[in-house]
Amino acid sequence: MKSIKIILMSLMIVSLIFLIGCGGKPSGDLIKIQDAGFLTIEQCQVRGLQDKVLMIESKYCSHCEATLPDFIQACAEKGVEPEILDVSVSKNRQKVYSYGLDYVYTPTFVFGCNYYIGAMPKTQYLSLLDKFLASQN
């Protein structure tokens, strides 16, 4: 009987550790991105996003895979170094959360304080990068 109690207690402890500390979402103030939009200047600055270009993608997302080359080419043409975060990897998911963001769909793009959902043609990436670069001056 004593060994059953020890086993049950061990299982409960392991379960709690898994639920609390195994790469879940932080309990802080996350902004959920589920449609195109923008952050206020304060939200953007607090999150350190004003000078960032992010692509939130997943290796399980066929749209992400299809648009990634166009996105990378557009960034290269404009001299922008994007941060590409594959959220199927826990550390990248945590990086997104560290920016105070939560995502619903992939791909999700962040150009400074503006964010967009879904794959786009290269011309649209170029246009968004032009707007982003203009906001940096």
Side-chain angles (χ1 to χ4, degrees):
M1 183 69 169
K2 189 174 183 178
S3 63
I4 291 176
K5 284 184 181 181
I6 291 172
I7 291 170
L8 288 175
M9 285 296 280
S10 298
L11 287 172
M12 287 175 41
I13 290 170
V14 169
S15 296
L16 281 174
I17 290 170
F18 181 75
L19 290 173
I20 293 170
C22 204
K25 293 180 186 175
S27 59
D29 182 27
L30 294 179
I31 294 177
K32 183 177 267 187
I33 298 176
Q34 53 191 6
D35 201 358
F38 62 92
L39 303 169
T40 66
I41 292 173
E42 181 182 344
Q43 290 171 325
C44 193
Q45 289 175 342
V46 166
R47 288 165 172 77
L49 291 168
Q50 64 275 11
D51 62 347
K52 302 272 190 284
V53 173
L54 310 176
M55 178 182 183
I56 301 168
E57 56 104 15
S58 170
K59 70 179 179 182
Y60 304 108
C61 168
S62 61
H63 297 290
C64 300
E65 183 180 338
T67 200
L68 183 60
D70 285 341
F71 177 69
I72 290 172
Q73 286 176 358
C75 288
E77 285 181 27
K78 296 297 180 177
V80 172
E81 187 70 36
E83 191 169 350
I84 299 170
L85 299 166
D86 178 353
V87 293
S88 63
V89 176
S90 179
K91 72 175 183 159
N92 291 335
R93 225 176 9 260
Q94 292 307 313
K95 181 73 172 182
V96 173
Y97 298 149
S98 77
Y99 285 126
L101 301 176
D102 191 8
Y103 57 92
V104 177
Y105 308 107
T106 57
T108 293
F109 298 91
V110 178
F111 293 85
C113 301
N114 300 297
Y115 49 85
Y116 306 88
I117 307 296
M120 300 175 228
K122 181 179 169 186
T123 54
Q124 193 166 359
Y125 294 131
L126 290 168
S127 175
L128 293 171
L129 287 162
D130 284 339
K131 289 176 188 175
F132 166 75
L133 290 169
S135 75
Q136 301 299 294
N137 298 326

